[in-house]
Amino acid sequence: MSPVTIDELRDRKRRGPKLAMLTAYDHPIAKLVDAAGVDLVLVGDSLGMVVLGYDTTAPVTMDEMIHHTKAARRGVVRALLIGDMPLAALQAPPEEAVVHAKRFTEEAGCNGVKVEWRPGIEETVRGIVRAGIPVMGHVGLTPQTAAGEGGFGMRGTTAESAARILEQARSLEDAGCWSIVLECVPDALAAEISRRLAIPTIGIGSGPHCDGQVVVTYDLIGLFDRFTPKFIKRYANVGIAIREATAAYVSDVRSGIFPGPAQTVTMAAEELAKFKAKLAA
Ligand code: KIV
């Protein structure tokens, strides 16, 4: 199958099928989700909470993002690879943010970056787009700043906040975003934004009317157990499988069952006899 292109994904807004995006932060998961047919692989800054053990995504650094994105890059051959600009990069002045965005494409081999909405971010988006880097926007629940905005709940549930989010989405489209993530907004708002914007919308916890969907892979496969968002459909229980496999390994090591004959290399009888003779000499 030929590599996914942005033009093709833009076109799918009109003709379908919907876009499927998943996160990956390392080589094996990136390789698996790419081979399974996702259209986009996002190296999300959810990395901070999911694999680095931070309480929020706010402390994630550019160096951490680049390190993990390079590993994911080596596993993705078909999907578009998107690097998530961490808070530190988006708090920087626009010219500096462009330098950070270039690290994702030039150093880590991404096909584009994702940018969470914050006041004034449009100038940064315009700068990144001018540098030739495709930008995916992100509105609704924006985890980087969620702590100061009442936590990780739904956004856009009142008429006023819904209108505000629609406006933010429009301003990101005007600034040059080629697509936009809608996180945790009610389905009617997601439908309205998807209808009014020419660019594809990719929902997370925002109902079925978006042009595509994204979730954190570790939620999908049951490998992140600190909390499970209400909108998650669990497709596998890899965490339980790892725990059971580990318990069986520990038990086998303690009882001497592992390693058995199948996992053991024996020396040829003749060589063993020579070796023993050497020791005895
Ligand atoms: O960081 C992330 O993984 C994200 C997605 C959940 C959209 O922003």
Side-chain angles (χ1 to χ4, degrees), residues 82-243:
I82 308 293
D84 206 2
M85 300 270 289
L87 180 61
L90 296 177
Q91 280 173 329
E95 325 76 68
E96 212 178 293
V98 173
V99 175
H100 292 310
K102 281 185 179 166
R103 285 193 70 191
F104 275 109
T105 52
E106 293 172 9
E107 210 179 305
C110 281
N111 303 103
V113 297
K114 179 169 80 60
V115 166
E116 286 188 18
W117 186 88
R118 53 190 282 115
I121 200 66
E122 292 78 1
E123 202 190 330
T124 295
V125 170
R126 276 190 286 271
I128 300 174
V129 171
R130 265 199 308 273
I133 300 171
V135 181
M136 173 182 282
H138 184 156
V139 297
L141 171 62
T142 43
Q144 291 171 357
T145 46
E149 293 160 359
F152 282 77
M154 291 295 287
R155 299 294 193 268
T157 51
T158 63
E160 201 179 304
S161 62
R164 222 172 20 242
I165 291 170
L166 170 59
E167 215 29 65
Q168 293 164 4
R170 269 206 186 111
S171 73
L172 285 177
E173 178 175 44
D174 290 347
C177 286
W178 74 272
S179 60
I180 190 160
V181 169
L182 309 180
E183 180 158 358
C184 291
V185 301
D187 59 347
L189 173 58
E192 206 53 50
I193 297 175
S194 302
R195 197 171 66 77
R196 286 168 185 258
L197 265 53
I199 58 176
T201 59
I202 303 176
I204 171 164
S206 299
H209 307 302
C210 301
D211 304 308
Q213 296 290 329
V214 57
V215 291
V216 168
T217 301
Y218 277 43
D219 287 333
L220 178 97
I221 63 174
L223 200 47
F224 178 70
D225 61 4
R226 271 162 61 196
F227 59 85
T228 304
K230 185 170 166 287
F231 55 79
I232 282 299
K233 177 173 174 187
R234 186 149 287 173
Y235 287 81
N237 258 314
V238 171
I240 291 176
I242 290 176
R243 223 179 308 133

